[in-house]
């Protein structure tokens, strides 16, 4: 219940702010990809300004996520190798336990 209230308190104002932002920035702008001839219609794109801002935000999030994922690769590799080592050690401990039980079974009881 507390999580729902917290989410409501965070996402409701954020949604309202985004709606206001979109309404305030709905003017159509042209993004020209040809710096030498900005009036070239082939290499230009017209859309409301907030669309370009959202696309930039999404691209930035994707690039940041990819950079973080690549940067943390060494930690994932270390976790994999340590997990494999832990499995090997557990298997060896199981073999030693079985061997110790076999030895204990062959000892004469008092």
């Amino acid at each position: 219940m507390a999580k729902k209230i917290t989410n409501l308190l965070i996402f409701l104002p954020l949604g309202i702010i985004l709606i206001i932002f979109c309404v305030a920035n709905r003017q159509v702008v042209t993004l020209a990809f040809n710096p030498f001839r900005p009036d070239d219609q082939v290499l230009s794109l017209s859309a409301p300004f907030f669309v370009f801002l959202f696309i930039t935000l999404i691209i930035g999030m994707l690039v940041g996520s990819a950079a973080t994922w690549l940067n943390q690769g060494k930690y994932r590799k270390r976790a994999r190798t340590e997990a494999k080592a832990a499995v090997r050690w557990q298997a060896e401990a199981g073999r030693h336990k079985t061997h110790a039980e076999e030895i204990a079974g062959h000892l004469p009881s008092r």
Side-chain angles (χ1 to χ4, degrees):
M1 183 69 180
K3 186 175 182 177
K4 287 183 181 182
I5 293 172
T6 305
N7 285 341
L8 186 65
L9 289 174
I10 292 172
F11 291 124
L12 184 66
L14 185 63
I16 292 170
I17 290 170
L18 284 175
I19 290 171
I20 292 170
F21 179 77
C22 291
V23 170
N25 291 296
R26 65 181 189 267
Q27 297 85 8
V28 176
V29 295
T30 301
L31 177 64
F33 293 107
N34 187 354
F36 303 110
R37 288 189 51 207
D39 57 338
D40 186 11
Q41 294 295 321
V42 176
L43 294 175
S44 65
L45 181 65
S46 295
F49 185 59
F50 72 89
V51 171
F52 292 123
L53 293 176
F54 282 151
I55 290 172
T56 304
L57 177 70
I58 291 169
I59 290 172
M61 289 173 60
L62 291 174
V63 169
S65 298
T68 302
W69 185 77
L70 290 172
N71 191 28
Q72 293 176 350
K74 56 187 169 191
Y75 301 112
R76 288 192 305 276
K77 181 178 180 181
R78 182 176 176 191
R80 279 193 304 271
T81 57
E82 288 181 1
K84 288 177 186 177
V87 168
R88 281 196 315 268
W89 284 106
Q90 286 176 346
E92 186 174 342
R95 285 192 304 272
H96 285 298
K97 181 179 178 184
T98 305
H99 185 63
E101 288 172 351
E102 288 175 3
I103 291 174
H106 293 310
L107 292 177
S109 57
R110 296 184 198 178

